[in-house]
Amino acid sequence: MKHNSEQWTSKIGFILAAAGSAIGLGAIWKLPYVAGTSGGGAFFLIFILFTLFLGLPLLLAEFTIGRYTKKEAISAYREIAPGTYWNWIGKLGVVTSFLLLSFYSVVGGWVVIYLFRSLTVNIQVMETNDFGQMFSDTISNPFLAITAQFIFLALTILVVQGGIQKGIERSSKIMMPILFVFFTLIVIRSLTLDNSIEGIRFFLLPDFSSLTGETTLFAIGQAFFSLSLGVSIMVTYSSYLKSEESLVKSATSIVSLTIFISLLAGLAIFPAVFSFGMEPSEGPPLVFIVLPAVFSSIPLGNVFFFLFMTLLLFATLTSAFSLLEMVVASITKNEGEKRRKTTVITGIFIFIMGIPSALSFGYLSDTLFFGNTFFDALDYLVSNIMLPMGALFISLFTPRYLSKSTLFAELRKGSRVKLYVLQIWYVLLKYVTPVAIIIAFLHVVGII
Ligand code: TRP
């Protein structure tokens, strides 16, 4: 079997690409609206706890599997547990990534449309109500939705076919720093609005009375989704990492960056929402309706609108790269000559798969699957069933097939992490993570 011929050029390149995968619609779009509807600060706090105590251990497990074998996910499981069915974790991951990207790219398309609008529409002359209309017109227009989804996927294909170093790493190194800078500008603007303190209070002061079992489980799902866990993407990404780089340091940097961006997202959005007397519980349209409405009434609003849509596009694209890479790597198995063609063909299939999702807000809005639109049904299947299932299997697989000494040795390469830290990690991975996921599952299917 071939070892990976492709490699990240540097640790920072890897960290930015992996953080790019993690930071996306989950942190910037989903987290604020879910926090907005489920208790603000309390939700954010338990999200951080789950990210640290369930997400980080699982991220380290995926990293260890990838770097230890230096193979893409399916081959990695096959090498560690030959002759067993465990490589189906990788296969499940490939199918999940494929489906996830098919509807993720629909929202990516909306971002493309909004970025274009930030350059062509003068939002300062629009009324608050116009933004709701603009959003529903956008997502229900079949031609617009599909074209935008196509453009988003074309950009993703263009980068991924360039390979790990020249495609994903290079573009992440450009996009991620820009994302951080633009976000900082937006947060400064938001925090200096009148009455911003109320938004800060809503987002950061926990009110535990608003937490329910439901929202707690939601926070677990959000923690996994936000770190791109459960589909073995982080196995594939870490397989391109040199052995002398520390996995522990990389993982902590990625988790810190993700939490930091989630914090910035809340600090950008809630002060603005409260300052203009709007509702934080708008749901999914929060960043597409409320935010532009707020921007429309501040000086230089169009500029901030543009900055926000640019950073949202960059965040969404770098996540999409990882989803496509997961599928492509599993097919090419690192035979470089196949990459270009495989990426394009896979991308086309994902586009076709995504069409019903793109039409779910217009043409197909009345065609229901289990009482949901196609988009919502697929999102439910992927986010609430396939992702947690993948995460559960990984947490069961790792301690079973890799001995403690092998795991600890891999995690100690390039770092002097203390033994007791690794012991805590092991316990969290082997016992706490699977139990938490099983409880969440039982709840979702209605048993508890
Ligand atoms: N983490 C990304 C986000 O928050 C989405 C994502 C990319 C993802 N790859 C993933 C989610 C793999 C789950 C699994 O937007």
Side-chain angles (χ1 to χ4, degrees):
M1 252 326 247
K2 275 210 251 182
H3 250 17
N4 273 346
S5 45
E6 293 218 73
Q7 256 189 359
W8 306 108
T9 55
S10 60
K11 188 166 94 182
I12 187 71
F14 165 66
I15 291 177
L16 289 178
S21 166
I23 295 163
L25 294 172
I28 307 175
W29 175 60
K30 230 176 176 177
L31 182 81
Y33 86 68
V34 176
T37 50
S38 350
F43 184 86
F44 187 57
L45 187 71
I46 55 169
F47 161 75
I48 292 180
L49 293 179
F50 288 138
T51 301
L52 292 175
F53 293 107
L54 303 177
L56 180 57
L58 206 57
L59 180 62
L60 281 169
E62 291 201 18
F63 276 179
T64 313
I65 295 170
R67 226 263 304 271
Y68 175 70
T69 57
K70 293 221 166 58
K71 297 208 164 87
E72 60 75 38
I74 301 176
S75 323
Y77 294 108
R78 202 173 269 149
E79 177 172 303
I80 296 175
T84 66
Y85 283 111
W86 286 96
N87 67 75
W88 281 81
I89 305 179
K91 291 176 183 159
L92 174 74
V94 171
V95 176
T96 310
S97 303
F98 181 90
L99 295 177
L100 180 52
L101 185 53
S102 81
F103 65 86
Y104 200 82
S105 58
V106 173
V107 184
W110 301 346
V111 182
V112 170
I113 297 172
Y114 269 74
L115 178 59
F116 182 73
R117 293 230 171 99
S118 72
L119 293 168
T120 54
V121 176
N122 179 3
I123 57 169
Q124 317 253 223
V125 300
M126 291 172 65
E127 303 287 332
T128 305
N129 289 344
D130 298 345
F131 292 99
Q133 192 59 40
M134 179 159 103
F135 185 62
S136 51
D137 289 350
T138 307
I139 64 175
S140 61
N141 179 330
F143 175 74
L144 204 55
I146 291 181
T147 311
Q149 183 206 13
F150 181 81
I151 295 173
F152 180 84
L153 276 173
L155 291 171
T156 308
I157 293 169
L158 197 70
V159 169
V160 174
Q161 56 95 25
I164 292 302
Q165 290 188 2
K166 296 210 179 88
I168 299 178
E169 179 171 349
R170 191 190 280 170
S171 52
S172 304
K173 273 182 169 164
I174 300 170
M175 289 187 199
M176 295 309 286
I178 296 179
L179 182 152
F180 294 125
V181 172
F182 283 11
F183 230 142
T184 311
L185 293 175
I186 301 239
V187 170
I188 293 173
R189 174 67 271 210
S190 199
L191 291 179
T192 49
L193 290 169
D194 289 343
N195 209 13
S196 64
I197 188 72
E198 215 172 307
I200 301 174
R201 213 177 274 143
F202 173 79
F203 183 55
L204 293 183
L205 273 190
D207 164 17
F208 289 102
S209 64
S210 51
L211 273 190
T212 61
E214 191 86 54
T215 45
T216 309
L217 295 169
F218 231 69
I220 299 184
Q222 178 66 24
F224 288 156
F225 188 89
S226 235
L227 285 176
S228 302
L229 297 172
V231 306
S232 307
I233 275 181
M234 294 302 185
V235 172
T236 298
Y237 263 29
S238 62
S239 73
Y240 306 127
L241 186 66
K242 293 188 188 111
S243 285
E244 60 272 20
E245 306 289 6
S246 159
L247 292 175
V248 178
K249 277 189 212 147
S250 306
T252 18
S253 313
I254 292 158
V255 168
S256 315
L257 285 173
T258 307
I259 292 179
F260 180 62
I261 289 291
S262 310
L263 177 72
L264 288 190
L267 288 181
I269 292 168
F270 292 114
V273 168
F274 278 87
S275 172
F276 286 84
M278 296 187 173
E279 276 302 310
S281 54
E282 261 309 306
L286 189 63
V287 304
F288 292 104
I289 297 177
V290 179
L291 218 52
V294 169
F295 289 147
S296 75
S297 47
I298 60 178
L300 294 180
N302 258 91
V303 175
F304 285 105
F305 187 33
F306 168 78
L307 294 180
F308 185 79
M309 285 304 155
T310 306
L311 76 85
L312 189 55
L313 181 66
F314 284 1
T316 313
L317 274 175
T318 46
S319 300
F321 299 160
S322 71
L323 290 163
L324 185 55
E325 173 62 24
M326 174 74 197
V327 185
V328 169
S330 77
I331 298 171
T332 60
K333 305 250 186 281
N334 272 292
E335 288 178 46
E337 47 316 335
K338 289 195 196 153
R339 172 176 280 273
R340 228 155 257 245
K341 217 164 133 193
T342 311
T343 311
V344 175
I345 295 174
T346 312
I348 293 173
F349 277 108
I350 291 173
F351 170 65
I352 296 170
M353 179 72 216
I355 291 176
S357 293
L359 296 178
S360 287
F361 304 88
Y363 248 16
L364 294 179
S365 59
D366 295 328
T367 313
L368 300 184
F369 301 81
F370 303 102
N372 280 314
T373 61
F374 188 83
F375 182 102
D376 288 336
L378 198 58
D379 181 19
Y380 189 90
L381 174 72
V382 167
S383 306
N384 297 341
I385 298 174
M386 296 173 83
L387 283 176
M389 210 146 84
L392 174 63
F393 290 148
I394 293 168
S395 69
L396 296 175
F397 170 84
T398 311
R400 175 166 172 169
Y401 280 95
L402 288 168
S403 69
K404 231 183 196 181
S405 56
T406 310
L407 290 168
F408 287 11
E410 192 62 44
L411 288 174
R412 282 185 142 169
K413 284 182 186 158
S415 92
R416 264 180 262 134
V417 52
K418 300 256 186 328
L419 186 62
Y420 79 90
V421 176
L422 293 175
Q423 299 280 15
I424 295 175
W425 166 72
Y426 193 78
V427 171
L428 287 171
L429 178 72
K430 187 166 180 179
Y431 304 103
V432 181
T433 310
V435 170
I437 300 173
I438 288 171
I439 292 177
F441 247 128
L442 294 178
H443 188 86
V444 166
V445 296
I447 294 177
I448 53 172

